[in-house]
Amino acid sequence: MPKVTIRDVAEAAGVGIGTVSRVLNNNENVSDKTRQRVIDVIEELNFVPNAAARQLPRKTPYQSIGVITRPFDEYFSFAERLRGVQKALKPYVDRYELTLHNTHTTRNYDQRLLSIIETSVIAGLLLIDFELTADQKVALGQLGIPFVGLNHARSADWVCIGTDNEQGGYLATRYLIRLGHTKIAYLGNDLIDEDGFETSKGRYTGYLRALQDAGIQQRPAYFQTGVAGYDAAKAMSLTLLRQRERPTAIFAMSDIQGLGAIAAAKELDLRVPEDVSVIGYDDIEVAFHTGLTTVRQHLETSGTVAMNYLLQMIHHEAPDEIPRLPPLEIIERETTRHL
């Protein structure tokens, strides 16, 4: 027997799917008569999208806000953003609960989002590092589900709270150049990873632009990319630092990869920053504790700003002007120095 969807409920009740969504979310903007008709159809069709929906007939005060994100153990920046998300939700702890959807691949993401669109019960949706197709935006709009993107470049057709990866790569590289470095290596993820994410490509493009503006020729031997993570970064850094004419500075596209570069230098009995300077990117908490120079992109703040705006959308109070994050900035610590 085919699974009953929210569209089936809407058709049987003679209402739009947005109305069904509002009933499921216990939204007050539905007349008692319509609400009861939808509830009767839900019971008749035995429509139970998830555990949250099963609570709704008991008129739970909670509404769910969905967050789609990549795994925290692979991308530590997401945990920092989530901290900001939770901070924004703290005043609403008696009203909203957070539902996390971890996705490892774009295919898994598509399936998760389809499930949310067809069967889930959420008051709003926050997408961290993921895009939306035109059809997905229309479907969410039909359901009356507000949505906000996080860690995107600003978009013309939907609300995205994020920073410019190319500009960040430019700032990091220009900073090293101003310290007197000309032999600067780039260390990062694959420019376009297996899931189609282009974060590394953006930061590498900024790196190249900074070199070009300074009249420095990029050396192919100073380019190392691969899978994300500390171990891979350490292995790639060993390749960089074992060269006869090794780089005097490394721009790592994440703090974790920067720490991998430092570990490689120590294994080769090189001093950081005396023999090689290292700058990371993100400014996650471990960067502070290890003294890593980095690019701060205000991760926790971005989570708070994005969730606050989503809450305003849910409450129909969102301003026309999309909020901006503080500018990217270099946080100088102990792993870089003048030549």
Side-chain angles (χ1 to χ4, degrees), residues 276-292:
V276 58
S277 287
V278 177
I279 184 171
Y281 199 111
D282 288 332
D283 195 29
I284 62 176
E285 186 174 352
V286 70
F288 170 78
H289 292 296
T290 56
L292 177 66

Side-chain angles (χ1 to χ4, degrees), residues 4 10 34 46 53 81 91 106 146 172 174 217 220 223-224 226-228 239 263-265 275 284 297-298 300 322 325:
V4 178
T34 300
N46 194 29
R81 288 193 172 90
T106 50
R174 186 182 65 177
Q217 185 173 0
F223 173 77
Q224 285 287 319
V227 298
T239 299
D275 297 316
I284 62 176
Q297 60 165 324
H298 307 281
E300 183 176 323
I322 299 172
L325 296 176

